[in-house]
């Protein structure tokens, strides 16, 4: 993917002002949507099925861990898909290319509410069909992972890197944006980049 990076500004995705407004959001909107939902689903599961605390935690953290894998796969194979068709290229640009072109655009750092609700709803139905009642907590862990990703991604793009160990994540993500579009697909975790050998060269972290 080759994209000209704009230091400032915002790309336009639709001529319609209404549709254009639906492509933008802030993390607070996502938090207000999903934190109460996750709390409600977890409360419902606990009160309806009376799991032990160990089982509850195991299901929740399994969902959280699965998010890190999904984040990697989504970023690598959907957001950075290569297509020869105009429709495919348009889809890729709308999903992620615009973010690479305008990485400082605060309104397009996370998935906006409408597609987020549709996609998360499909995931919940999929988890429910596979996991049964455990899906209530597994989905909650998955979505908390998503919100952690949203917070980390937003913070990395709007603030300067800190002078502590967290600086690694800023460098890691900046290498993806400005030097290696085909590496560093993780955002909240580099685990899957290590496993699938898509980490940038170690020396790059010391430049």
């Amino acid at each position: 993917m080759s994209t000209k990076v704009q230091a400032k500004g915002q790309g336009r995705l639709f001529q319609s002002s209404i549709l254009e407004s639906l492509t933008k959001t802030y993390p607070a909107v996502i938090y207000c949507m999903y934190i109460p939902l996750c709390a409600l689903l977890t409360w419902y599961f606990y009160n309806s099925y009376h799991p032990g605390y160990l089982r509850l935690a195991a299901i929740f953290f399994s969902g959280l861990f699965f998010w890190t894998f999904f984040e990697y796969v989504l970023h690598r194979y959907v957001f950075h898909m290569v297509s020869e068709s105009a429709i495919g290229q348009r889809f890729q640009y709308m999903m992620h290319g615009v973010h690479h072109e305008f990485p400082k655009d605060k309104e397009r750092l996370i998935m906006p509410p409408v597609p987020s609700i549709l996609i998360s709803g499909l995931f919940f139905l999929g988890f429910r069909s596979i996991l049964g009642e455990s899906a209530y907590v597994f989905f909650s862990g998955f979505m908390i992972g998503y919100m952690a990703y949203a917070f980390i991604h937003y913070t990395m793009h709007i603030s300067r890197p800190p002078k502590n160990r967290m600086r690694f994540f800023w460098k890691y993500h900046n290498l993806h944006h400005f030097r290696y579009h085909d590496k560093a697909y993780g955002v909240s975790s580099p685990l899957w980049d290590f496993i699938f050998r898509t980490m940038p060269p170690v020396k790059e972290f010391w430049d």
Side-chain angles (χ1 to χ4, degrees), residues 76-103:
R76 181 174 182 177
Y77 296 107
V78 178
F79 288 174
H80 284 268
M81 64 178 288
V82 177
S83 176
E84 298 297 327
S85 71
I87 293 176
Q89 291 174 8
R90 170 69 172 164
F91 173 79
Q92 191 280 329
Y93 182 79
M94 290 177 62
M95 291 293 291
H96 196 60
V98 67
H99 169 56
H100 272 263
E101 186 173 359
F102 298 93

Side-chain angles (χ1 to χ4, degrees), residues 104-138:
K104 297 295 184 181
D105 180 359
K106 296 180 180 180
E107 295 183 307
R108 289 207 177 102
L109 294 175
I110 54 176
M111 187 74 71
V114 173
S116 175
I117 291 170
L118 294 174
I119 294 170
S120 63
L122 290 175
F123 267 97
F124 176 77
L125 293 175
F127 295 154
R128 187 75 172 85
S129 67
I130 296 170
L131 301 173
E133 68 272 8
S134 296
Y136 293 108
V137 178
F138 187 89

Side-chain angles (χ1 to χ4, degrees), residues 174-193:
N174 279 332
L175 285 172
H176 170 73
H177 266 276
F178 303 111
R179 198 170 297 183
Y180 297 101
H181 292 327
D182 60 344
K183 298 184 185 298
Y185 293 109
V187 175
S188 61
S189 170
L191 172 65
W192 301 103
D193 281 304

Side-chain angles (χ1 to χ4, degrees), residues 141-161:
F142 182 81
M143 294 307 297
I144 292 297
Y146 168 64
M147 285 184 281
Y149 150 83
F151 173 78
I152 293 168
H153 191 230
Y154 188 82
T155 302
M156 286 191 296
H157 279 279
I158 68 166
S159 63
R160 294 181 179 275

Side-chain angles (χ1 to χ4, degrees), residues 1 6 24 26 35 39 48 65 71 76 78 110 126 141 146 161 168 188 199 204:
M1 182 184 69
Q6 307 289 334
K24 305 171 186 179
Y26 288 98
I35 289 178
S48 298
F65 181 72
E71 172 191 295
R76 181 174 182 177
V78 178
I110 54 176
Y146 168 64
F168 165 84
S188 61
M199 278 295 289
E204 298 285 2

